Amino acid sequence: MKRGFPIAVAWLAAVFAVAPILWVLITSVTPAEKLVQGRVGAGFSLASYIRVLSHTEFPLCIINSALVALLTTLFTLALGLIAAYALTRFRVVAKPLILALLLAIPLFPQISILIYLYLAASRLGLINTYAALIVPYTALALPLAIWYLVAVLDDIPRDLDNAARLDGCAPLRTLTSVLMPLVLPSMVAVGLLVFLLSWNEFIIALVLTTDAKARTAPVGLAMFQGTHYIPWADITAAAVVVLLPVVLLAFFGQRMLVAGLTRGALK
Amino acid sequence: MRERMGTAAALPYLAPALVVVGLVVLLPLVATVGLSFTDAARGSAGHFAGLAQYAKLAGDAGFWRALVFTTLFAVGTVAVEVALGLAVAGALVPAFRGRGWVRVLLLLPWALPTVVAGRIWEWLFHYQYGVFNLLLAGAFGEGARVDWLGSIPTVYFSLGIADIWKTTPYVIILALAALLTLDAEVMAAARLDGARGGFIVRKVVLPLIAPALLIVAAFRLVDAFRVFDLIYVLTGGGPGGSTVSVSLYAYQQLFAVGDFAYAAAVATASFAIFLLLALAYVVVYQRSRAFRGGVL
């Protein structure tokens, strides 16, 4: 009894977490004519997926999202690593202040920069471009990467740097050939988290894209009307397509995601 | 050799990150505040207008309604999420068969896009085909259907459930991480001293993880205050503007109304709220540290 109660609580929470996702999955493979009768789960059909992936602009949204998230991740890791290197291997004035200010960046309301970003992007003709998304995403993800990598680089003894320097290594060379192999697992962890955040981002993409072909997957999904007389067959199929990579990431990268999340927040 | 390692030498490495952050965060922040002192609108560059937008803000019932709604939404959901998250995290501390699976499954709502969460709950709450109304109608007849998203105050409950579903996992993950750092020896010592379960939780565990809980609650609170995605998808601010958040209100002023300067004033107000919350967190954190310093 005493041990049984927490286990029941844990499983109840897990069921509450998964049941809505499963219901949507079941809906997405229910034939549309069964859905209009309110018979979710009666029969099996992939017609919704075929419609969504071949008769709408949704596949373009998926490609946009994948490219934007991938490029954001690469830029964030590159800029974040050299910034973290500078913050740990040089004596930078006001380092605690810089880190504290960085922490605020992913937390403040995006709307307070978004109005200007929209006006500036309109003036520069950047609406509907990848650059208009990648640059803000990188800026908002950088603090996370810097915090994480500063903590990791701080744990690596300076003797390694000194040895490399005595061997005639320039600082950048020290970073790429001595330190980087050591921080590579951490970069994968933080990279997964950045990819996830970029893949999921909505409000910036909503404001900075107007063309249906330039939308990211979340914006495409939010705007998705469905192509059928009961659009929910298609909407749920589109939702499953968007959450599939996330579920895979959660299953195979669970440890790294949790590490990235907790290390960023609690250290 | 020493002076080579100073701030000046570090600058080339810091510059790319600082430039990106400055261009995307600092410049727009300042420019938005500046814009709020003009009368710029769609199709008109605008001139300096002093505090005109803020005078309008002070007397704008729509803005105050959004602010009250956002505050109640944030405080209400975060209170439930922290309590619930802590309870589930506590249940995940002792090892049991299947714990790994429970943890992965609990990660899912946090990991998926908020838009997907919005679409999921929109479907569950659907009047005609949603699972809740199918069950209600099946059990009690057609009259038992509930207009989950289209009636007040039911819509507040529906939004709250969706948000709690989406973000409690975040609290669970972080609370569990804090609980797992607790020193096994401290717990063993408390037990040896004859302390019982409830006492240990209240007097040993909670004080030890209080700083971590405080920061999780602070993160959640500022995040709930800027809520946009979930509401945009689930209710669009309806019915009758009853669920318009501050961020959504600024967005509507920007696009639906085209009043750039006023949208900037609303956005600046929302940034001011963020600063106040951040400041409150710092004060509470310092106090709690001073308090514990006095005890130990």
Side-chain angles (χ1 to χ4, degrees):
Chain A
M1 161 65 207
K2 264 203 141 168
R3 280 182 52 79
F5 183 66
I7 297 176
V9 169
W11 276 105
L12 203 66
V15 168
F16 176 61
V18 175
I21 302 173
L22 282 180
W23 186 251
V24 162
L25 184 66
I26 293 168
T27 307
S28 70
V29 294
T30 304
E33 59 272 17
K34 297 284 197 270
L35 275 190
V36 277
Q37 300 164 6
R39 295 173 60 197
V40 176
F44 179 87
S45 153
L46 290 175
S48 301
Y49 287 92
I50 292 165
R51 271 197 305 275
V52 166
L53 293 177
S54 60
H55 295 312
T56 70
E57 263 133 7
F58 205 67
L60 280 178
C61 301
I62 298 285
I63 294 169
N64 292 339
S65 265
L67 287 175
V68 166
L70 200 65
L71 289 169
T72 299
T73 306
L74 291 178
F75 286 133
T76 304
L77 286 177
L79 299 189
L81 180 66
I82 56 173
Y85 175 72
L87 285 169
T88 52
R89 290 328 193 241
F90 294 81
R91 266 176 300 171
V92 178
V93 283
K95 173 182 163 187
L97 184 70
I98 294 177
L99 284 175
L101 286 178
L102 281 178
L103 185 64
I105 288 175
L107 298 172
F108 74 88
Q110 304 94 331
I111 194 74
S112 51
I113 58 167
L114 205 44
I115 292 165
Y116 180 79
L117 286 181
Y118 168 72
L119 296 177
S122 307
R123 213 171 301 144
L124 298 171
L126 288 174
I127 298 286
N128 295 323
T129 62
Y130 285 168
L133 300 182
I134 292 170
V135 176
Y137 286 8
T138 302
L140 295 179
L142 260 175
L144 190 89
I146 293 176
W147 266 76
Y148 194 96
L149 294 174
V150 161
V152 173
L153 283 173
D154 262 338
D155 287 347
I156 298 176
R158 305 296 191 276
D159 297 351
L160 269 176
D161 300 56
N162 292 336
R165 196 172 58 205
L166 288 178
D167 284 347
C169 259
L172 205 59
R173 182 76 202 287
T174 308
L175 177 62
T176 52
S177 42
V178 179
L179 296 176
M180 217 162 93
L182 295 172
V183 295
L184 210 58
S186 307
M187 288 178 72
V188 173
V190 82
L192 280 184
L193 198 59
V194 171
F195 185 89
L196 191 71
L197 294 177
S198 313
W199 179 265
N200 292 358
E201 202 286 329
F202 178 62
I203 186 170
I204 296 174
L206 175 73
V207 169
L208 298 182
T209 58
T210 52
D211 183 354
K213 289 189 171 67
R215 285 174 185 153
T216 60
V219 179
L221 181 62
M223 302 287 181
F224 198 77
Q225 300 293 332
T227 56
H228 209 257
Y229 58 99
I230 166 147
W232 276 99
D234 296 351
I235 295 172
T236 50
V240 171
V241 171
V242 180
L243 70 79
L244 205 62
V246 174
V247 171
L248 292 178
L249 213 62
F251 270 89
F252 295 107
Q254 182 209 8
R255 256 165 228 291
M256 285 187 278
L257 279 178
V258 171
L261 190 64
T262 50
R263 191 148 195 176
L266 296 181
K267 273 230 165 170
Chain B
M1 207 61 197
R2 273 275 155 247
E3 60 269 29
R4 257 195 57 199
M5 306 301 280
T7 308
L11 216 51
Y13 301 94
L14 283 173
L18 291 181
V19 166
V20 172
V21 169
L23 224 64
V24 175
V25 180
L26 292 182
L27 170 70
L29 263 180
V30 174
T32 304
V33 176
L35 192 64
S36 72
F37 293 115
T38 71
D39 57 5
R42 185 176 290 140
S44 115
H47 303 284
F48 181 73
L51 292 171
Q53 304 303 341
Y54 291 95
K56 182 177 169 187
L57 193 72
D60 179 4
F63 168 73
W64 289 105
R65 190 183 185 195
L67 185 59
V68 169
F69 165 73
T70 309
T71 307
L72 293 177
F73 173 83
V75 173
T77 54
V78 172
V80 176
E81 285 156 17
V82 170
L84 212 61
L86 192 57
V88 176
L92 286 170
V93 171
F96 60 87
R97 195 202 267 274
R99 186 175 63 167
W101 276 100
V102 170
R103 283 206 210 168
V104 176
L105 297 180
L106 282 173
L107 203 58
L108 292 179
W110 165 78
L112 52 81
T114 308
V115 171
V116 172
R119 283 301 209 176
I120 287 175
W121 285 92
E122 191 186 358
W123 173 235
L124 298 180
F125 286 133
H126 195 277
Y127 188 80
Q128 192 69 33
Y129 306 114
V131 64
F132 299 123
N133 276 356
L134 286 179
L135 290 174
L136 283 174
F140 307 108
E142 286 298 316
R145 287 176 187 271
V146 173
D147 195 358
W148 296 101
L149 297 171
S151 66
I152 306 169
T154 319
V155 66
Y156 299 123
F157 169 82
S158 312
L159 259 185
I161 293 285
D163 192 71
I164 288 162
W165 179 79
K166 173 78 176 85
T167 53
T168 303
Y170 174 82
V171 181
I172 296 173
I173 296 164
L174 293 178
L176 182 59
L179 286 172
L180 291 178
T181 60
L182 286 183
D183 202 337
E185 285 181 30
V186 174
M187 306 295 287
R191 235 169 259 128
L192 268 182
D193 286 345
R196 306 291 293 274
F199 183 84
I200 292 181
V201 168
R202 266 182 292 119
K203 297 288 177 183
V204 182
V205 174
L206 280 182
L208 281 174
I209 65 163
L213 270 192
L214 195 62
I215 199 163
V216 172
F219 278 14
R220 277 299 310 133
L221 205 59
V222 292
D223 190 48
F225 248 97
R226 62 181 181 179
V227 60
F228 180 89
D229 308 8
L230 188 69
I231 291 175
Y232 184 94
V233 174
L234 207 48
T235 69
S242 57
T243 58
V244 173
S245 68
V246 173
S247 289
L248 182 58
Y249 193 68
Y251 174 85
Q252 289 174 341
Q253 296 303 316
L254 180 67
F255 284 105
V257 183
D259 192 341
F260 298 163
Y262 188 55
V266 177
T268 303
S270 102
F271 189 74
I273 293 168
F274 166 75
L275 282 184
L276 278 178
L277 287 173
L279 203 66
Y281 166 74
V282 171
V283 170
V284 171
Y285 182 75
Q286 301 280 3
R287 282 244 178 104
S288 71
R289 247 194 6 183
F291 172 68
R292 269 179 295 128
V295 168
L296 291 176

